[in-house]
Amino acid sequence: MTLTELRYIVAVAREKHFGRAAEACFVSQPTLSVAIKKLEEELDVKIFERGASEVSVTPLGEEIVRQAQSVIEQAAAIKEIAKRGKDPISGPLRLGIIYTIGPYLLPDLVKQAIERVPQMPLIIQENFTTKLLEMLRTGDLDAAIMAEPFPDTGLAVAPLYDEPFMAAVPKTHPLAKRRSITAEELKNETMLLLGTGHCFRDHVLEVCPEYARFSSDAEGIRKSFEGSSLETIKYMVASGMGVTVVPQLSVPKEPQSHVTYVRFAAPVPTRRVVLAWRRTFTRYEAIAALRNAIYACELPGVKRLTD
């Protein structure tokens, strides 16, 4: 068996689909299928049950996939040990970041990283939390900036900052004249939500649980805004379609002509932003350099956390 074959079975177990797994591995579907069939024949076990619309993992296959994942991580660790032996902060760092943090942190972070560790360029991947966690496990990413909570996957986690939320309302809305508002006061408003998959959508639903009904596949608002970005939703607020909740760092520094950002009264809802990496990742100095670059960013309005 080869590491490539192990990567293929991990990808199929994750995607539950041979075509999507092949795309994720940048190979053709026949190439991936033949390799997996060869591995099943070599082991004399069936790893996957092929269905009409979805692939499932057999009970024995589950154990094999778990072990394959462990082997892939250990193989990645060997490369990291070699890099660390040369210069731990020399060479690219593959960094993941969620969509609702990336646009607001990255401009300053990239600038700080270039100034502090120009020998460690950041290769950046924006994605949903679930995808970033998977890429960390498979070694496709070295570290990721995400918001808690997320499933405990045995990763090393360092807190970065607590970020308060603010309400974004049309300039002409009665709430725009207020110095602060409560989540209760948003109950009867038309709430604009991010699409399913964004963890910030879940954060907003915690602040305003009355809108949880929109998270079903039922109707209306959820389908209208599936896949939207925070910036798109702000434009919808500006056009008077409704109100939304946004993280502090996404609030523009200059006053906006059509949107007003109003603080929440205590207790202010917040999210905790953290840096996560595999425990087997041995370039500790690279992680420390990244954290220092993040702490050097302006981060207006957030509470910095250090351990």
Side-chain angles (χ1 to χ4, degrees):
M1 71 182 72
T2 65
L3 279 174
T4 298
E5 290 168 349
L6 298 184
R7 289 192 182 96
Y8 289 169
I9 65 171
V10 168
V12 172
R14 177 181 70 241
E15 301 292 342
K16 301 288 194 293
H17 191 277
F18 277 84
R20 290 195 297 272
E23 286 179 19
C25 295
F26 303 104
V27 296
S28 67
Q29 183 172 334
T31 298
L32 179 135
S33 297
V34 168
I36 290 177
K37 188 171 187 300
K38 173 178 167 291
L39 181 59
E40 287 181 321
E41 287 173 354
E42 179 184 341
L43 299 175
D44 195 24
V45 297
K46 185 177 271 193
I47 301 173
F48 300 108
E49 293 285 356
R50 283 85 165 163
S53 58
E54 191 176 87
V55 176
S56 59
V57 188
T58 65
L60 190 55
E62 295 272 8
E63 289 185 50
I64 292 171
V65 168
R66 275 197 299 274
Q67 188 61 39
Q69 180 64 67
S70 177
V71 170
I72 291 168
E73 289 179 12
Q74 292 300 318
I78 292 172
K79 291 182 180 179
E80 296 305 334
I81 290 168
K83 284 183 189 175
R84 187 166 182 260
K86 297 172 187 174
D87 180 355
I89 58 173
S90 179
L93 184 78
R94 297 166 299 174
L95 176 66
I97 192 164
I98 58 174
Y99 292 116
T100 57
I101 295 177
Y104 316 110
L105 178 62
L106 284 177
D108 201 1
L109 174 57
V110 169
K111 174 175 171 287
Q112 295 295 338
I114 290 171
E115 290 178 359
R116 291 163 176 271
V117 278
Q119 72 275 40
M120 190 183 80
L122 299 178
I123 299 175
I124 296 162
Q125 163 79 242
E126 270 192 304
N127 220 309
F128 296 113
T129 300
T130 52
K131 183 64 176 175
L132 295 181
L133 289 171
E134 185 61 38
M135 294 179 77
L136 280 173
R137 284 195 293 269
T138 57
D140 294 318
L141 288 177
D142 299 322
I145 299 172
M146 301 177 289
E148 290 185 332
F150 50 81
D152 181 8
T153 55
L155 296 170
V157 175
L160 296 173
Y161 55 83
D162 285 339
E163 182 177 20
F165 299 158
M166 294 185 73
V169 303
K171 203 84 171 179
T172 55
H173 196 287
L175 290 176
K177 298 181 176 62
R178 300 280 298 280
R179 294 192 65 179
S180 67
I181 60 173
T182 65
E184 185 73 15
E185 290 177 286
L186 297 180
K187 277 178 64 173
N188 298 318
E189 301 295 330
T190 300
M191 178 67 72
L192 308 181
L193 298 170
L194 280 170
T196 303
H198 289 277
C199 62
F200 190 72
R201 173 193 180 89
D202 300 326
H203 295 155
V204 174
L205 291 176
E206 285 179 17
V207 176
C208 308
E210 297 78 14
Y211 294 97
R213 65 184 182 278
F214 296 133
S215 64
S216 71
D217 282 331
E219 54 175 333
I221 226 164
R222 173 213 171 258
K223 292 198 180 228
S224 300
F225 303 111
E226 183 76 32
S228 295
S229 69
L230 279 177
E231 294 308 305
T232 300
I233 288 183
K234 288 179 190 176
Y235 285 120
M236 294 173 179
V237 172
S239 69
M241 289 179 65
V243 305
T244 195
V245 174
V246 299
Q248 174 77 47
L249 291 184
S250 76
V251 176
K253 293 179 181 177
E254 301 298 325
Q256 302 295 289
S257 54
H258 299 294
V259 180
T260 297
Y261 296 89
V262 186
R263 298 186 181 280
F264 280 98
V268 179
T270 63
R271 68 174 175 180
R272 174 154 295 184
V273 175
V274 302
L275 179 65
W277 65 95
R278 291 185 310 284
R279 294 186 185 278
T280 53
F281 186 66
T282 58
R283 292 172 63 195
Y284 313 118
E285 293 86 349
I287 295 295
L290 176 62
R291 290 181 70 188
N292 288 337
I294 294 168
Y295 287 133
C297 296
E298 285 189 28
L299 306 178
V302 310
K303 179 184 177 184
R304 298 164 189 266
L305 303 169
T306 55
D307 52 10

